């Protein structure tokens, strides 16, 4: 098991390096830089050149990258923002990331609470009206993107009914709409996957045998089926989590949630390289860690899987 | 010999079953109508998408009336017209992106799956890296950066940045799928036979392998279509996609946000169009998957 | 890395509990239980309106608490409650004494001698002296500080540029004569120069407190933010709020307010919500929210608009490659084909003042009788034909550039594009640009047609006319009028401006600028579109806000009634 974890972590390092370099390079491919924005519309070329020197942006891209990686490796320094009065990125992540984490957790919880029972019920009552309705709802939810769902929820619940705040992130009430908007799609994904996974299990001989031995169908499913059906669902958690991370960028923008997504989108237009890099790196690390964790968990529960790849 | 190469081709069989699925038929009809409306947008609309009807109406946006069936937006432009031309942009971008990623994904997947060895390893590492990062984020980054560079390009070419950004993030899924399937088919007798009789590699890939992959590929393509439509709308929503004067559904949704209390139709019209289109594609995709599913075949 | 992963992990545990609570709430509200929230939960920063505290929002996180580095209007408004300069703009848009109780221009006509007010106290109790200004100015110009504003506002001081590029240890032109006398020598007779001393990069900071913080001024050590202003920073909470407390020993007498609370509310819609809920005493609003304000009688009655010293214009660049704007007729045709009334109605929703000339109203010496080129499509067509482009035929392809981050800017551009198409038969290609990219290309003077704003550095016609439209020539490889981004060249205009810039008699100076402005308006290197107005909602309980065109508002006189 330990060897497995070590192998996965080692394999992740080149991925992280590649991603960090990609993001680094991509950000710098832009012909216009942050310095022009900092210097503003009244700066002379001399000031622009001076600022470039001060920020080390006059060096070749590769040298900048090496400095960056060395900074991270030696003392966890992710650099400083070009905007926001030179705030260190680590400090920025410390204030912004918990917000995104909270949003993602709540959305995941929402997705599980709504998605898993729906999937189970749909499978148990396969081909019933509930099943059909649920699957229709699943496709509908998967098809309604957050840029549609979010504004529609705001319009109905916040503007017309005035039950909930429009946006912001200060009280639990504020977090409701973003949570639902972000979690809806994942709930649908989980419901669909749970259903098909449980259906597969129900077709297995041991369930049939259990029922033949006099177990009620419900008890047979509860005692034997559910655990086996939940296992494959675990593997899609990586995908679900990725969707939540990506989605949080959009949802945070819609609801003005002060997390890493909102700040990243802001930083992109300001060419605040260190912020973009820091946030992208964090997302990549998170994504990889979660996927490894899921694999490990899966390996613990079902040792046969250990050698296989994770599905996307 | 494998049944699928001799009897009724899998595609023909799937097509037959697809037509019997009512939801798929409705979804298909909707998509055909939308496509017609998008292609013939000039014929079906009374106003150019960028015409500002500000002399007739002193305040804009104006509510729906007999001149403007869906009302006008904040600059007095016809919402109906922008919806149809927006569909043209949306579907056009999607078509190009999906073709790009399918071409890249299929060829790389076929090649890696068939050749195996180092080629395969390289491809898998590459897709691993791509997978280690949420797609939408990468698309956001790419389009933000590339766009500022290509702004100087003439109008429609600025869409090129979108093609690029979405294409880059899209191909690995297709490549993995095709590679996996190819890997499985590679060992089949008829492929080995073809190889033994000296059929050139190109012909094996294109004539023998590819036709047998059409089912999964078609299903994957529909999924990609839905994903790209959404991604395009999202990028445009974030002001990173299609730029004015081009209309785009995502952009329409974004610009309706400020006024949605007073003018809800500005939000509802593009939202419904976007959701219905993605839904139709998804329903069609589900039906296709069922249609191609060997387990469900008689 | 671990540094931020560990606390977040703990946070996640709490978040899970938290989400259970909120899910419960969700189901409660979905099942129809009406909650008490009215679309604006209490953010924890809203104080009851009974305290003697003025509450108005920061629209962004403060960018810097360092006066030498700050450059955005939002943060400037915050920190000028805390720090002060030698002089200040008053309500009549004139310079009046502040930390300098008087000043005179010495006979050499380039040295200003400032007499520092006696007994001015820093927040830490120490008396302000001339040395503090020398320290503050030199710190602002230090290369290490990377000030984005020092060069623009301090460049006229002899030796400031040498200090900025690291060629000198001190600024030659700044001399401490005695404890209360500061001499500043500038590089020529400039009757408009004093306005530069109202900008934050010349404000007085407290040396010993700054040095204690390693030379930095930031919220990590609020003592480093010691100034002489009517308020001092009491608390800075990132992503939440900034709190200011009145300074008891303020040299003009303690402020009427006990404090100022600036909750950070980034979204315009939410600012409006909080204002409606009584959590804010005043707030700026965006044009997009006007409909909402106008549909509510209370809000409508509390809406005020303030003119700002900023002109939005269309620039027609004669120096761009193959530019058709070298021909005067083409420029005039564009000017006469653009309907400013429609732009104000459609894109600006009526919230700006139509621009007749280049210099905004309120600036002393402005030409009140300026004659703009009229909106006259027929004449415009005729002019265009004279220039060799009948009905726009043969007109070169043209892109029309503007920054992409302000909706009303893009809308204005789209309205103009349609007007040019309808009135002149010319189709320009709309080109929304990233701000950074826009700046790069504008400086390279490659953009033929732009929509842009000029905000005053100081309130003087010189800053609009000579600065922006005087012919620019290369001197030692540098443009002598770098802000002339449209390649306007007029010997007559230059002559008038050159004379006005050094004219000691004020009335004569104004007269010269008035003539120059009319020439520029007729030559149409620009089409001035509108003068900016800031929209604000102000509760009746707030009174006596000092305002100037420049937007600087130290709340020394502001009162709130409970």
């Amino acid at each position: 098991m330990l060897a497995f974890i070590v192998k996965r972590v080692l394999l992740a390092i080149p991925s992280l390096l590649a991603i960090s370099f990609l993001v680094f390079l991509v950000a710098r491919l832009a012909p216009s830089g942050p310095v022009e924005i900092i210097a503003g519309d009244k700066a002379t070329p001399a000031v622009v050149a001076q600022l470039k020197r001060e920020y080390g942006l006059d060096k070749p891209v590769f040298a900048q990258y090496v400095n960056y990686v060395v900074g991270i490796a030696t003392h966890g320094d992710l650099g400083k923002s070009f905007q926001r009065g030179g705030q260190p990125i680590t400090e920025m992540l410390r204030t912004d990331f918990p917000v995104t984490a909270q949003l993602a957790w709540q959305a995941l919880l929402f997705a599980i609470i709504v998605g898993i029972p729906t999937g189970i019920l749909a499978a148990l009552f396969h081909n019933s009206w509930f099943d059909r309705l649920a699957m229709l709802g699943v496709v509908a939810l998967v098809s309604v993107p957050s840029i549609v769902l979010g504004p529609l929820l705001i319009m109905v619940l916040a503007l017309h009914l005035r039950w909930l705040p429009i946006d912001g992130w200060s009280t639990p009430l504020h977090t409701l709409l973003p949570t639902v908007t972000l979690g809806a799609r994942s709930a649908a994904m989980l419901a669909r996957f749970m259903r098909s996974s449980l259906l597969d299990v129900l077709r297995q001989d041991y369930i049939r045998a259990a029922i033949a031995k006099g177990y009620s169908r419900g008890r047979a499913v509860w005692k034997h089926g559910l655990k086996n059906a939940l296992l494959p669902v675990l593997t899609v958690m990586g995908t679900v989590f990725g969707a939540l991370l990506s989605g949080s960028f959009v949802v945070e923008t819609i609801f003005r949630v002060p997390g890493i997504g909102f700040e990243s989108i802001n930083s992109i237009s300001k060419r605040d390289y260190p912020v973009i890099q820091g946030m992208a790196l964090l997302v990549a690390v998170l994504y990889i860690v979660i996927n490894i964790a899921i694999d490990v968990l899966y390996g613990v529960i079902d040792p046969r899987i250990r050698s296989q790849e994770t599905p996307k | 010999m494998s049944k699928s190469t001799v009897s009724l081709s899998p595609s023909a069989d799937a097509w037959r079953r697809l037509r019997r699925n009512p939801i798929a038929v409705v979804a298909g009809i909707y998509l055909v109508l939308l496509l017609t409306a998008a292609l013939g947008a000039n014929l079906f609309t009374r106003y150019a998408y960028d015409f500002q009807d500000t002399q007739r109406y002193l305040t804009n946006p104006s509510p729906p009336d007999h001149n403007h069936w869906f009302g006008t937006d904040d600059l007095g432009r016809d919402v109906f017209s922008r919806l149809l031309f927006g569909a043209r942009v949306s579907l056009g971008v999607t078509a190009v992106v999906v073709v790009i990623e399918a071409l890249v994904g299929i060829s790389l997947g076929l090649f890696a799956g068939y050749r195996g060895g180092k080629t395969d390893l390289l491809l898998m590492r590459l897709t691993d890296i791509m997978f280690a990062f949420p797609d939408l984020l990468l698309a956001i980054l790419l389009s933000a950066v590339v766009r500022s560079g290509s702004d100087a390009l003439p109008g429609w070419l600025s869409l090129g940045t979108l093609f690029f950004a979405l294409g880059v993030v899209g191909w690995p899924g297709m490549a993995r799928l095709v590679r996996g399937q190819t890997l499985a088919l590679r060992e089949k007798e008829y492929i080995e036979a073809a190889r033994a009789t000296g059929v050139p590699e190109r012909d094996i890939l294109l004539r023998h392998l590819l036709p047998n992959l059409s089912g999964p590929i078609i299903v994957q393509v529909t999924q990609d279509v839905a994903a790209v439509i959404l991604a395009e709308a999202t990028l445009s929503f974030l002001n990173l996609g299609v730029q004015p004067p081009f209309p785009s559904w995502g952009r329409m949704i974004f610009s309706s946000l400020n006024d949605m209390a007073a003018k809800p139709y500005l939000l509802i019209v593009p939202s419904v169009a976007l959701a219905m289109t993605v839904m139709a594609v998804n329903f069609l995709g589900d039906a296709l998957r069922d249609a191609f599913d060997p387990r469900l075949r008689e | 890395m671990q540094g931020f992963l560990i606390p977040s992990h703990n946070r996640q545990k709490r978040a899970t509990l938290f989400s259970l609570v909120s899910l419960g709430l969700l189901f409660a509200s979905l099942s129809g239980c009406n909650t008490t929230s009215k679309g604006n939960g209490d953010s924890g920063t809203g104080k009851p309106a009974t305290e003697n505290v003025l509450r108005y929002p920061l629209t962004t996180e403060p960018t810097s608490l360092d006066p030498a580095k700050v450059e955005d209007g939002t943060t400037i408004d915050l920190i000028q409650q805390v720090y002060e300069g030698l002089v200040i703009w008053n309500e009549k848009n004139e310079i009046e004494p502040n930390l300098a109780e008087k000043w005179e221009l010495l006979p050499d006509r380039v040295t200003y001698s400032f007499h520092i007010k006696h007994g001015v106290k820093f927040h830490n109790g120490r008396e302000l002296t001339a040395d503090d200004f020398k320290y503050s100015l030199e710190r602002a110009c230090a290369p290490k500080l990377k000030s984005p504003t020092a060069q623009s506002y301090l460049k006229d001081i002899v030796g400031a540029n040498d200090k900025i590029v690291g060629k000198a240890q001190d600024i030659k032109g700044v001399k401490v004569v005695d404890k209360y006398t500061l001499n500043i020598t500038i590089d020529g007779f400039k009757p408009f120069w004093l306005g530069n001393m109202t900008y934050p990069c010349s404000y007085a900071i407290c040396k010993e407190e700054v040095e204690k913080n390693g030379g930095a001024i930031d919220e990590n050590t609020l003592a480093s933010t010691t100034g002489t202003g009517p308020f001092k920073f009491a608390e800075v909470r990132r992503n939440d709020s900034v709190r200011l407390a009145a300074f008891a020993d303020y040299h003009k007498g303690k402020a009427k307010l006990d404090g100022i609370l600036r909750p950070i509310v980034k979204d315009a819609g939410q600012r409006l919500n909080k204002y409606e809920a009584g959590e804010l005493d005043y707030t700026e609003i965006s044009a997009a929210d006007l409909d909402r304000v106008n549909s509510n009688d209370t809000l409508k009655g509390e809406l005020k608009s303030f003119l700002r010293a900023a002109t939005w214009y269309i620039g027609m660049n004669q120096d761009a490659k193959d530019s058709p704007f070298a021909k005067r007729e083409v420029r005039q045709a564009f000017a006469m084909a653009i309907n400013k009334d429609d732009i104000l109605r459609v894109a600006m929703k009526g919230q700006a003042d139509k621009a007749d000339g280049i210099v905004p109203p309120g600036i002393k010496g402005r030409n009140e009788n300026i004659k703009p080129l009229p909106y006259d499509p027929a004449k415009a067509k005729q002019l265009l034909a004279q220039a060799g482009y009948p009905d726009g035929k043969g007109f070169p392809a043209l892109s029309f550039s503007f920054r992409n981050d302000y909706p009303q800017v893009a809308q204005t551009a789209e309205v103009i594009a349609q007007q040019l198409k309808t009135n002149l038969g010319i189709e320009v290609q709309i080109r929304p640009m990233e701000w950074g990219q826009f700046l790069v290309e504008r400086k390279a003077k490659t953009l033929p047609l732009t929509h842009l704003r000029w905000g005053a550095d100081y309130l003087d016609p010189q800053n609009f006319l000579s600065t922006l439209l005087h012919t620019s020539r290369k001197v030692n490889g540098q443009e002598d009028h770098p802000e002339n981004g449209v390649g306007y060249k007029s010997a007559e205009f230059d002559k008038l401006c050159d004379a006005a810039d050094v004219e000691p008699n004020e009335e004569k100076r104004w007269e010269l600028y008035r003539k120059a402005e009319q020439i520029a308006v007729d030559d149409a290197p620009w089409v001035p579109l509108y003068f900016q107005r800031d929209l604000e909602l102000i509760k009746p309980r707030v009174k006596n806000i000092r305002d100037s065109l420049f937007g600087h508002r130290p709340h020394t006189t502001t009162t709130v009634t409970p």
Side-chain angles (χ1 to χ4, degrees):
Chain A
M1 179 49 63
L2 193 67
F4 170 73
I5 298 175
V6 168
K7 191 183 146 208
R8 287 299 307 262
V9 170
L10 286 180
L11 269 176
I13 291 174
S15 288
L16 278 178
L17 275 176
I19 288 163
S20 64
F21 187 64
L22 196 73
V23 173
F24 200 88
L25 197 69
V26 159
R28 277 157 180 77
L29 279 177
S32 76
V35 168
E36 282 80 6
I37 297 174
I38 301 167
D41 56 348
K42 289 169 182 175
T44 60
V47 169
V48 171
Q50 167 77 16
L51 282 172
K52 268 197 180 142
R53 261 197 309 283
E54 293 293 336
Y55 283 112
L57 291 170
D58 55 337
K59 298 195 188 84
V61 173
F62 194 72
Q64 293 180 36
Y65 178 69
V66 170
N67 280 345
Y68 180 63
V69 173
V70 167
I72 297 175
T74 51
H75 39 280
D77 178 18
L78 289 168
K80 285 180 177 165
S81 166
F82 290 157
Q83 307 273 332
R84 314 226 299 191
Q87 198 187 4
I89 307 300
T90 39
E91 190 185 297
M92 217 157 140
L93 292 178
R94 213 173 281 143
T95 57
D96 296 350
F97 178 66
V99 174
T100 302
Q102 185 191 343
L103 176 61
W105 266 108
Q106 289 184 198
L108 187 65
L109 207 69
F110 171 81
I112 290 172
I113 290 177
V114 173
I116 300 287
T118 309
I120 292 174
L121 289 176
L124 286 181
F125 304 104
H126 187 43
N127 281 335
S128 69
W129 63 268
F130 179 83
D131 182 24
R132 282 168 203 278
L133 202 69
M135 286 309 105
L136 209 67
V138 161
V139 181
L141 271 190
V142 167
S143 308
V144 178
S146 49
I147 61 165
V148 169
L149 187 62
L152 287 178
L153 286 177
I154 292 178
M155 195 170 84
V156 176
L157 292 175
L159 287 172
H160 283 283
L161 297 174
R162 294 208 151 210
W163 287 353
L164 292 169
I166 297 172
D167 48 22
W169 191 259
S170 38
T171 67
L173 218 55
H174 283 84
T175 69
L176 274 189
L177 287 186
T179 299
V180 173
T181 306
L182 182 58
R185 208 176 145 83
S186 304
M189 279 164 68
L190 282 181
R192 168 144 68 179
F193 208 77
M194 185 66 228
R195 172 181 175 270
S196 67
S197 169
L198 188 57
L199 278 179
D200 276 348
V201 170
L202 289 176
R203 290 198 197 99
Q204 303 293 322
D205 293 338
Y206 62 88
I207 295 286
R208 295 184 184 174
I211 295 172
K213 270 199 277 175
Y215 273 103
S216 77
R217 184 158 177 267
R219 275 194 64 198
V221 170
W222 185 250
K223 287 206 73 163
H224 303 283
L226 220 48
K227 188 191 151 200
N228 287 316
L230 275 170
L231 262 182
V233 174
L234 201 59
T235 61
V236 287
M237 282 310 204
T239 318
V240 168
F241 195 78
L244 287 177
L245 270 183
S246 284
S248 67
F249 277 63
V250 180
V251 171
E252 285 179 11
T253 307
I254 295 173
F255 292 96
R256 313 269 162 181
V257 177
I260 59 170
F262 186 51
E263 294 299 346
S264 300
I265 301 277
N266 279 342
S267 303
I268 285 174
S269 63
K270 288 181 192 149
R271 302 251 172 278
D272 199 343
Y273 299 155
V275 180
I276 304 172
Q277 283 153 208
M279 304 262 173
L281 206 60
L282 175 68
V283 167
V285 169
L286 223 56
Y287 198 60
I288 289 172
V289 166
I290 296 277
N291 274 306
I292 293 178
I294 288 169
D295 286 356
V296 170
L297 205 60
Y298 204 76
V300 171
I301 301 170
D302 188 351
R304 285 170 302 168
I305 310 298
R306 235 171 270 171
S307 54
Q308 285 186 6
E309 297 167 25
T310 16
K312 161 99 176 165
Chain B
M1 271 309 236
S2 165
K3 186 172 63 172
S4 55
T5 53
V6 194
S7 68
L8 187 60
S9 84
S11 326
D13 182 49
W15 175 237
R16 197 169 47 87
R17 283 196 282 155
L18 198 61
R19 276 181 308 176
R20 284 197 230 131
N21 182 337
I23 293 182
V25 171
V26 173
I29 290 174
Y30 168 80
L31 288 175
V32 169
L33 284 179
L34 182 71
L35 212 59
T36 318
L39 289 175
N42 318 46
L43 302 174
F44 303 122
T45 55
R46 292 164 66 186
Y47 305 92
Y49 62 84
D50 59 351
F51 172 69
Q52 299 153 12
D53 201 355
T54 51
Q55 300 310 317
R56 181 159 35 191
Y57 301 98
L58 286 182
T59 53
N60 283 299
S62 70
D65 62 16
H66 63 281
N67 291 317
H68 300 281
W69 299 334
F70 288 175
T72 63
D73 71 2
D74 46 4
L75 277 185
R77 296 171 301 198
D78 188 46
V79 172
F80 180 69
S81 175
R82 290 183 75 70
L83 193 71
L84 292 201
F85 281 96
R88 187 187 276 189
V89 173
S90 245
L91 298 182
V93 168
T94 305
V96 174
V97 170
V98 170
V99 166
I100 291 175
E101 59 181 50
L103 281 180
V104 174
I106 292 172
S107 39
L108 285 182
L110 269 179
F111 216 63
Y114 184 74
R115 281 272 181 88
K118 280 211 177 105
T119 324
D120 190 30
L121 202 71
L122 199 70
L123 179 78
M124 292 323 287
R125 280 288 84 81
L126 204 60
T127 52
D128 269 350
I129 291 171
M130 300 291 290
F131 278 149
F133 204 71
D135 324 7
L136 185 65
L137 274 196
L138 192 57
I140 287 173
L141 266 181
L142 281 175
S143 53
V145 167
V146 185
R147 187 166 59 97
S148 68
S150 62
D151 273 341
L153 297 172
W156 64 271
L157 249 184
S158 69
L159 291 174
T161 63
L162 257 187
F163 299 156
F164 175 74
L166 294 176
V168 165
V169 299
W171 66 267
M174 179 65 88
R176 277 220 176 167
L177 173 95
V178 172
R179 178 239 178 206
Q181 299 278 333
T182 310
L183 219 54
L185 284 179
R186 183 170 72 170
E187 312 300 332
K188 292 264 184 222
E189 295 142 25
Y190 69 98
I191 301 291
E192 296 214 336
R195 203 165 19 206
T197 52
V199 178
E201 188 179 58
R202 220 188 72 180
D203 285 358
I204 296 182
L205 289 178
L206 294 182
R207 298 248 167 86
H208 298 275
L209 280 172
L210 197 55
N212 281 299
L213 294 175
S214 56
I217 287 178
I218 288 174
V219 172
Q220 177 74 27
V221 163
T222 17
Q223 283 173 2
D224 286 352
V225 167
V228 175
I229 292 178
L230 281 184
E232 185 272 320
T234 306
L235 287 182
S236 297
F237 179 87
L238 296 174
N239 199 10
L240 294 169
V242 179
Q243 291 292 301
F246 293 109
S248 141
W249 291 352
R251 198 77 202 134
M252 287 172 80
I253 294 173
F254 176 75
S255 50
S256 72
L257 293 187
N258 274 325
D259 238 356
M260 67 186 166
K263 309 282 176 349
Y265 59 91
L266 285 180
L267 168 64
I268 291 171
V269 168
S271 295
V272 168
L274 177 61
M276 268 174 63
T277 305
V278 179
M279 215 179 291
V281 175
N282 277 336
F283 275 125
L284 203 62
D286 277 3
L288 276 169
R289 188 173 31 219
D290 288 348
F292 279 109
D293 191 342
R295 283 185 300 179
L296 299 176
R297 260 166 132 187
E298 295 103 47
Chain C
M1 287 300 235
Q2 284 195 338
F4 61 83
L5 279 174
I6 288 167
S8 65
H9 177 73
N10 293 337
R11 177 66 181 257
Q12 282 167 8
K13 272 190 192 153
R14 257 184 292 141
T16 318
L17 270 176
F18 201 43
S19 36
L20 279 171
V21 173
S22 37
L23 275 167
L25 282 169
L26 167 75
F27 293 128
S29 55
L30 283 182
S31 57
C33 304
N34 203 340
T35 59
T36 47
S37 163
K38 233 186 60 189
N40 44 48
D42 177 34
S43 70
T45 51
K47 280 271 166 190
T50 47
E51 279 181 39
N52 186 23
V53 169
L54 178 69
R55 303 156 309 161
Y56 67 112
L58 280 166
T59 55
T60 60
E61 193 81 28
T63 50
S64 172
L65 302 185
D66 188 339
K69 295 181 90 168
V70 68
E71 54 175 337
D72 62 303
T74 309
T75 315
I76 288 177
D77 180 60
L78 174 72
I79 73 165
Q80 48 140 5
Q81 314 294 341
V82 177
Y83 314 95
E84 296 176 299
L86 292 162
V87 290
I88 191 169
W89 295 110
N90 66 13
E91 291 91 326
K92 287 183 223 145
N93 302 313
E94 294 164 336
I95 300 259
E96 71 173 27
N98 201 18
L99 295 180
E101 59 186 350
K102 61 182 171 78
W103 62 89
E104 68 254 352
L105 187 59
L106 300 184
D108 66 359
R109 301 217 308 163
V110 290
T111 301
Y112 284 81
S113 188
F114 293 95
H115 301 278
I116 311 284
K117 200 169 165 182
H118 290 241
V120 173
K121 294 263 170 61
F122 275 112
H123 297 153
N124 65 0
R126 177 171 73 76
E127 191 186 12
L128 169 94
T129 67
D131 281 312
D132 289 306
F133 275 102
K134 184 171 166 65
Y135 171 73
S136 303
L137 289 167
E138 286 179 350
R139 179 179 173 274
C141 290
K144 204 175 78 164
L145 197 75
K146 297 180 275 198
S147 164
T149 56
Q151 216 269 350
S152 306
Y153 291 94
L154 306 177
K155 62 175 184 299
D156 304 314
I157 302 176
V158 170
N161 270 327
D162 289 343
K163 170 89 186 169
I164 288 171
V165 298
K167 275 196 238 156
Q169 280 303 307
D170 46 11
I171 304 176
K172 228 174 95 194
V174 179
K175 287 221 169 63
V176 175
V177 178
D178 60 44
K179 200 175 167 194
Y180 297 108
T181 312
L182 180 78
N183 279 5
I184 297 183
T185 309
I186 58 174
D187 57 2
F189 174 65
K190 293 177 180 174
F192 45 85
W193 173 78
L194 208 47
N196 284 303
M197 291 293 102
T198 66
Y199 202 79
C201 60
S202 65
Y203 287 179
I205 54 169
C206 184
K207 180 175 179 181
E208 65 270 21
E209 303 288 356
V210 175
E211 310 254 289
K212 259 190 249 163
N213 197 33
I217 297 181
D218 53 40
E219 72 271 24
N220 296 328
T221 316
L222 281 184
S224 67
T225 64
T226 299
T228 60
F231 296 90
K232 47 190 182 186
F233 286 109
E235 190 185 19
V236 178
R237 287 166 66 186
R238 204 160 268 283
N239 267 326
D240 185 81
S241 61
V242 176
R243 198 179 290 271
L244 303 175
F247 171 44
D249 285 340
Y250 182 54
H251 61 95
K252 291 182 196 160
K254 186 173 180 271
K256 307 279 185 295
L257 299 165
D258 291 338
I260 299 176
L261 175 67
R262 307 287 310 267
I264 297 168
V265 193
K266 292 179 185 170
D267 185 61
Q270 207 182 346
R271 289 197 287 274
L272 199 46
N273 292 338
K274 284 180 179 288
Y275 178 83
E276 267 194 274
E279 286 178 35
L280 298 173
D281 295 317
Y282 82 82
T283 177
E284 65 181 74
I285 67 160
S286 67
D289 287 316
L290 263 183
D291 279 352
R292 210 175 133 195
V293 171
N294 284 330
S295 63
N296 178 323
D297 283 338
T298 316
L299 291 184
K300 206 173 164 181
E302 291 166 3
L303 181 66
K304 307 271 183 311
S305 77
F306 296 88
L307 196 64
R308 292 289 172 245
T311 308
W312 286 86
Y313 65 94
I314 302 295
M316 294 176 283
N317 184 2
Q318 307 175 29
D319 285 347
K321 198 165 162 274
D322 303 326
S323 170
F325 296 121
K327 290 194 176 119
R328 188 171 184 251
E329 291 83 5
V330 174
R331 300 195 303 267
Q332 289 174 327
F334 269 58
M336 291 175 146
I338 290 174
N339 183 345
K340 298 177 198 172
D341 291 318
D342 270 8
I343 292 170
L344 287 178
R345 173 172 62 91
V346 177
M348 298 303 299
K349 312 288 180 212
Q351 290 304 322
D353 288 8
K354 184 159 102 168
D356 44 4
I358 295 165
V359 182
I363 290 188
K364 263 191 118 184
R366 174 182 190 263
N367 188 349
E368 300 297 339
N369 301 313
I370 192 99
K371 281 186 202 62
L373 293 175
Y375 172 59
D376 187 346
K379 185 80 201 299
K381 257 195 152 123
Q382 199 189 324
L383 283 166
L384 194 67
Q386 275 173 31
Y389 308 108
D391 297 318
K393 281 193 193 72
F395 200 79
L398 209 58
S399 68
F400 180 19
S401 314
F402 49 90
R403 62 191 298 182
N404 67 358
D405 45 2
Y406 286 98
Q408 72 270 29
V409 171
Q411 294 194 338
T412 301
E414 288 186 67
V415 170
I416 288 170
Q418 169 154 315
Q419 291 174 352
L420 294 175
K421 190 167 150 188
T422 317
N423 294 337
L424 296 179
I426 291 172
E427 285 204 42
V428 293
Q429 190 218 318
I430 287 185
R431 191 180 168 215
M433 295 175 73
E434 300 259 342
W435 181 226
Q437 179 70 8
F438 186 96
L439 291 176
V440 171
E441 292 190 29
R442 191 181 89 91
K443 280 190 181 131
K445 306 205 174 170
T446 54
L447 302 174
L449 190 62
T450 51
H451 174 30
L452 195 59
R453 173 195 115 116
W454 176 260
D457 298 316
Y458 39 84
L459 303 175
D460 194 288
Q462 184 273 349
N463 190 228
F464 283 81
L465 300 171
S466 319
T467 305
L468 293 173
L469 292 169
H470 190 289
T471 308
S472 183
R473 291 184 191 83
K474 290 233 161 155
V475 180
N476 302 331
Q478 289 220 357
E479 305 251 354
D480 61 351
H481 288 81
E483 293 301 345
N484 181 351
V486 291
Y488 179 54
K489 301 167 201 75
S490 163
E492 207 183 343
F493 178 87
D494 291 354
K495 218 175 96 193
L496 288 164
C497 284
D498 287 341
D501 290 352
V502 294
E503 172 58 54
N505 179 306
E506 224 173 41
E507 262 320 307
K508 277 189 197 157
R509 244 183 105 220
W510 303 150
E511 206 38 53
L512 290 165
Y513 283 133
R514 285 176 192 142
K515 279 189 189 140
E517 186 178 9
Q518 188 65 58
I519 290 171
V521 167
D522 292 340
D523 274 348
W526 277 24
V527 187
L529 296 177
Y530 58 85
F531 302 120
Q532 184 173 326
R533 267 188 183 281
D534 286 352
L535 298 176
E536 276 165 18
L537 287 166
I538 303 182
K539 296 265 180 195
R541 70 187 285 254
V542 182
K543 298 226 161 57
N544 303 326
I545 295 183
R546 296 182 63 179
D547 188 57
S548 77
L549 268 186
F550 212 63
H552 283 188
R553 287 174 169 176
H555 290 294
T556 49
T557 56
T558 311
T559 56
V560 290
T561 42

